[in-house]
């Protein structure tokens, strides 16, 4: 890079968007942390996943998920329309590729909520992705949070607990870890990671 | 990593200290930004450099620098006592290795103020170091800041300007870039980088 004498540095920099991938077990408080950080950080787009699981009461198509049939989903896989996908508890979940690529190209950041299997696929395809793992404060608190939902039977609760502990073992594969003890603190740490990644030179090109 | 059922996650994590290396040309406001961020972030130790340059009025040995003779400095090089060193304007500047290693081993972070030559040596020796470049907002503002010191003759000012522009060309070698337009904003970005790096899994070991 060479710079002239009439140069305002900010105007010379062009930043590619960053892809933030958030994982965390059931009970980590991931959804709440993501929705809170989006209130305090602009230019952060949430990528809506596509799924074959049935819509739950209160959910809306195109808001919580794009709800599709298994046939439609498998067609998206064949067409290469998914950035990642995984089968969890018999349902397919995936991330449509095109909207993510469009947001990043426009210099805005994307935040994705995917499980450890999805995160692994994204890491392989986008080495530049920022992988963040959200942990509950303790195993006991994890179990309390899972039970407090009140809608699941004991077998489902145990299955969620075992699945959560399995996911946590993938933590070292992530770039960052945040313990969600106090919500404000967890949101603030995620915001700091976002702010820091926005200063990363590897995503900045210099128009000189 | 495997986790038991009676597990508080924070207590299982042990973090190595991070080495933050800040560079920025004369006029970038580097010293002010570093002193401000140290007021708002704890466990951040400033590493005092050693130099052969003469002490300036108001400076104190062991506070601003360790002031040593050229013979003493060359002996430190031979003994491997320096993490990095460089000759600038005929004076030698270096970072004593031992205090830095002791702070990092204790799980605290170190902040170093070195030029681009020093940063290159540190990057080679500590691939884990976090390199941060501080930019003034524009070339004009850089010149205004260098001139506003009022203590230098025109030749020195031009030499500092040319040196600053040369240093800026090394910016892509750094991990992060911060433009110091508003002091509060620059300090806040540096604090975010520190907070983010404290969440980085590569520096965390899990005692399980």
């Amino acid at each position: 890079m060479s710079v002239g004498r009439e140069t305002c540095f900010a105007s010379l920099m062009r930043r590619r968007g960053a892809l933030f991938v958030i994982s965390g077990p059931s009970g980590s408080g991931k959804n709440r942390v993501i929705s809170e950080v989006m209130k305090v950080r602009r230019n952060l787009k949430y990528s809506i996943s596509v799924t074959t699981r049935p819509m739950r009461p209160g959910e809306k198509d195109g808001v919580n998920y794009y709800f599709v049939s298994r046939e439609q989903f498998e067609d998206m896989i064949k067409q290469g329309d998914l950035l990642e996908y995984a089968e969890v508890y018999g349902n397919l979940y995936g991330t449509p590729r095109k909207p993510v690529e469009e947001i990043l190209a426009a210099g805005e950041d994307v935040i994705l909520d995917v499980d450890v299997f999805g995160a692994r696929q994204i890491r392989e395809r986008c080495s530049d992705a920022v992988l963040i793992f959200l942990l509950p404060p303790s195993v006991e608190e994890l179990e309390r949070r899972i039970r407090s939902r009140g809608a699941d039977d004991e077998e489902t609760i145990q299955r969620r607990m075992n699945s959560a502990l399995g996911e946590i073992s993938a933590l070292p594969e992530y770039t960052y870890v945040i313990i969600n003890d106090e919500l404000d603190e967890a949101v603030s740490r995620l915001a700091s990671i976002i702010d820091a990644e926005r200063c990363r030179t590897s995503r900045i090109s210099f128009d000189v």
Side-chain angles (χ1 to χ4, degrees), chain A:
Chain A
M1 192 182 83
S2 70
V3 290
R5 288 263 161 170
E6 302 291 322
T7 306
C8 177
F9 295 115
S11 69
L12 294 177
M13 294 185 186
R14 203 169 298 272
R15 193 175 72 80
R16 269 185 297 127
L19 177 55
F20 297 100
V21 177
I22 319 278
S23 300
S26 247
S28 64
K30 189 174 47 172
N31 295 342
R32 183 74 190 282
V33 169
I34 291 173
S35 76
E36 291 297 319
V37 86
M38 292 185 72
K39 292 179 191 167
V40 294
R41 285 299 172 275
R42 300 184 315 163
N43 298 337
L44 190 60
K45 299 284 165 70
Y46 183 74
S47 169
I48 299 164
S49 297
V50 58
T51 185
T52 63
R53 86 151 162 74
M55 207 182 298
R56 289 177 190 161
E59 287 185 332
K60 280 189 178 169
D61 185 43
V63 176
N64 306 89
Y65 285 96
Y66 296 110
F67 295 94
V68 298
S69 69
R70 181 167 280 263
E71 292 67 32
Q72 288 173 300
F73 198 103
E74 285 169 353
D75 195 50
M76 292 181 82
I77 296 173
K78 279 180 203 145
Q79 300 295 322
D81 288 345
L82 297 175
L83 197 55
E84 59 78 35
Y85 66 94
E87 186 149 3
V88 186
Y89 304 145
N91 295 309
L92 289 160
Y93 295 81
T95 303
R97 178 192 292 269
K98 204 176 164 190
V100 170
E101 289 179 343
E102 286 172 351
I103 298 166
L104 296 178
E108 292 187 308
D109 302 316
V110 177
I111 192 160
L112 279 183
D113 164 10
V114 301
D115 69 9
V116 299
F117 306 102
R120 279 176 193 148
Q121 290 175 66
I122 290 174
R123 197 186 45 187
E124 277 170 23
R125 290 170 196 182
C126 316
S127 59
D128 189 40
V130 180
L131 274 59
I132 301 161
F133 198 93
L134 199 68
L135 268 181
S138 66
V139 178
E140 293 80 355
E141 177 63 15
L142 173 71
E143 184 160 354
R144 199 189 64 75
R145 289 179 188 178
I146 288 175
R147 287 187 183 279
S148 73
R149 296 181 175 183
D152 300 315
D153 58 28
E154 188 63 26
E155 188 186 318
T156 304
I157 286 168
Q158 287 308 319
R159 193 178 59 177
R160 285 187 190 278
M161 279 300 292
N162 288 333
S163 165
L165 295 175
E167 286 198 60
I168 289 169
S169 69
L171 195 157
E173 300 173 26
Y174 284 71
T175 322
Y176 298 105
V177 57
I178 297 171
I179 297 180
N180 186 14
D181 193 349
E182 295 290 330
L183 178 69
D184 287 352
E185 185 68 21
V187 171
S188 160
R189 286 186 186 178
L190 180 53
S192 289
I193 290 169
I194 292 165
D195 292 344
E197 291 290 335
R198 286 176 171 173
C199 295
R200 189 175 284 278
T201 56
S202 60
R203 268 185 226 98
I204 296 173
S205 58
F206 302 92
D207 299 334
V208 193

